[in-house]
Amino acid sequence: MTTKRPSLDEYFMDITNLVKERSTCNRAHVGVVVVKDKRIISTGYNGAPQGMPHCTEVGCNITKVKHPQSEHIEDHCTRTLHAEQNAIIQAAIFGVSINGGTMFCTHSPCYNCAKMIINAGIKEFVYQTGYPDKFSEEIFTQCDVKLRKFEKK
């Protein structure tokens, strides 16, 4: 009996889609897997900080936020941490370096997460769904972080 073995990209992206199911955000479920040397180092999903009520329990805390690099104003939930932030924090808590790793995510990053990803030493970011933030793309290019859209084969 022969079964099709998923590529590593498919394997890790499938796991991000499972991780996102833990999200407690009512607006978007986002999952992240950080990989180094073909091994999962850390995961993260979007949700409230530990000990705080989740959006699924008390609703979102929506605030009008001006995009840091433009005049664009958008609704943003200030209760939650982004999945990328939680994955970076989880690695730090357990003392595991993600420097030189690859981050797989269900969505491309916002500008603030892109800056954290760069400083954490991530060298490649693979995403499934685009997030409209050209500034993330620009600083990734400037800082030599490869941004790649996942293509299922």
Side-chain angles (χ1 to χ4, degrees):
M1 182 173 165
T2 305
T3 59
K4 181 188 175 294
R5 185 176 186 202
S7 70
L8 286 172
D9 276 5
E10 290 170 327
Y11 173 68
F12 294 129
M13 196 56 75
D14 284 350
I15 294 170
T16 66
N17 283 293
L18 180 59
V19 170
K20 80 176 184 181
E21 295 304 316
R22 293 281 305 154
S23 171
T24 59
C25 176
N26 293 321
R27 300 179 71 210
H29 289 189
V30 181
V32 166
V33 173
V34 180
V35 174
K36 195 170 176 182
D37 298 325
K38 301 180 185 177
R39 303 285 191 274
I40 295 172
I41 301 300
S42 181
T43 64
Y45 53 86
N46 53 331
Q50 289 181 15
M52 289 185 65
H54 295 286
C55 296
T56 52
E57 299 165 344
V58 295
C60 292
N61 189 16
I62 301 297
T63 306
K64 297 274 187 205
V65 176
K66 180 185 169 294
H67 192 281
Q69 298 294 324
S70 72
E71 295 302 315
H72 179 71
I73 296 176
E74 59 187 28
D75 289 340
H76 191 77
C77 179
T78 57
R79 181 180 315 282
T80 62
L81 289 162
H82 290 187
E84 301 94 326
Q85 295 166 339
N86 276 325
I88 292 167
I89 292 165
Q90 183 186 74
I93 287 170
F94 290 104
V96 178
S97 173
I98 59 175
N99 187 40
T102 299
M103 189 174 276
F104 288 83
C105 188
T106 55
H107 295 71
S108 58
C110 71
Y111 185 66
N112 284 327
C113 284
K115 292 184 290 183
M116 290 179 193
I117 290 162
I118 291 165
N119 275 4
I122 296 295
K123 295 300 176 196
E124 183 176 19
F125 191 96
V126 183
Y127 68 95
Q128 191 170 18
T129 302
Y131 176 84
D133 195 330
K134 68 179 181 174
F135 301 106
S136 295
E137 295 174 25
E138 288 175 9
I139 64 169
F140 274 178
T141 299
Q142 201 172 37
C143 296
D144 205 27
V145 175
K146 183 179 179 183
L147 180 65
R148 179 166 56 93
K149 182 164 177 36
F150 169 73
E151 300 293 336
K152 189 164 183 150
K153 303 206 171 77

